[in-house]
Amino acid sequence: MQVLKKRGLSTAQVVFFASMVALDFGWGMVIKTALQLTAIHSVARLEMIVSVMLMVLTRLMLDRFGTLIAYELAWGLLAAVFMPAAGGEPGFLKLVPALTQGVVFDALFTLLRRPLPLRRAYVAVLVGGLIGPSAAMVVRTAMGMPWATATQFLFSISLVTSLAINGLGVWLALSVWKRINGLQAVAMLRTA
């Protein structure tokens, strides 16, 4: 959290940021565990709809470069410590795709700020949603996972479902943002 503080965030903004990451991680732990009982979780990670929504709302509230890099790294560190075997990459190797995805998210959110004020969320999350899982697959294959036809097929399905889930998460975030953007509490937190 010291990194966030050095970039000029107020205490209220750091608390908001930490709360959103904790909410996202807690949501994922509970819902992911419940969904693992079904076969759908191996094809589509439905819990990610809410996670994407929380991430996009965090970036819209704290609209500066580095927010989503820190968000992804904080989430990745929590996952490395509390769920080291989950997700395919063991332990701290989870930080490679998290960092890659965070950089893409933040870069596109920042570069597209003027031409696409709200639609930039779709572009950033959809492109990052393709590059992040691709980085995770590179880590897995580097660790010895065979790049067989079955792996390629499942990876393709994963990318398609990732696009749909990320798109739905962004739509949900922008729907919430339209309702809360004009609130005084939001304006105070954004300028705090």
Side-chain angles (χ1 to χ4, degrees), residues 4 14 38 44 54 69 95 156:
L4 292 175
V14 172
T38 69
L54 294 172
I69 295 171
L95 296 178
S156 300

Side-chain angles (χ1 to χ4, degrees), residues 52-92:
V52 169
M53 178 195 73
L54 294 172
M55 182 184 59
V56 170
L57 285 173
T58 301
R59 175 57 199 240
L60 292 172
M61 288 288 286
L62 307 174
D63 200 6
R64 60 187 75 195
F65 186 83
T67 300
L68 294 180
I69 295 171
Y71 190 101
E72 288 287 321
L73 287 176
W75 197 97
L77 283 171
L78 287 171
V81 172
F82 294 109
M83 300 184 308
E89 305 84 36
F92 291 100

Side-chain angles (χ1 to χ4, degrees), residues 78-109:
L78 287 171
V81 172
F82 294 109
M83 300 184 308
E89 305 84 36
F92 291 100
L93 286 176
K94 294 176 187 336
L95 296 178
V96 173
L99 178 61
T100 304
Q101 194 163 287
V103 168
V104 171
F105 287 157
D106 263 340
L108 290 174
F109 256 98

Side-chain angles (χ1 to χ4, degrees), residues 94-178:
K94 294 176 187 336
L95 296 178
V96 173
L99 178 61
T100 304
Q101 194 163 287
V103 168
V104 171
F105 287 157
D106 263 340
L108 290 174
F109 256 98
T110 301
L111 290 172
L112 299 173
R113 180 177 288 143
R114 298 253 184 260
L116 303 169
L118 286 179
R119 290 193 175 102
R120 66 189 168 133
Y122 280 108
V123 175
V125 172
L126 292 178
V127 171
L130 291 175
I131 293 175
S134 298
M137 185 55 74
V138 168
V139 170
R140 289 182 203 140
T141 54
M143 290 176 35
M145 177 185 248
W147 188 242
T149 305
T151 305
Q152 294 170 15
F153 178 71
L154 291 173
F155 178 60
S156 300
I157 290 174
S158 173
L159 287 180
V160 170
T161 59
S162 175
L163 284 174
I165 287 169
N166 286 345
L168 188 57
V170 172
W171 174 80
L172 196 57
L174 294 179
S175 298
V176 170
W177 183 249
K178 285 178 187 173

Side-chain angles (χ1 to χ4, degrees), residues 25-36:
F25 189 77
W27 164 262
M29 283 192 75
V30 171
I31 299 302
K32 184 178 200 166
T33 304
L35 286 177
Q36 283 180 340

Side-chain angles (χ1 to χ4, degrees), residues 31-53:
I31 299 302
K32 184 178 200 166
T33 304
L35 286 177
Q36 283 180 340
L37 300 174
T38 69
I40 188 101
H41 192 268
S42 58
V43 176
R45 297 183 53 203
L46 295 177
E47 82 278 1
M48 291 301 294
I49 295 170
V50 172
S51 294
V52 169
M53 178 195 73

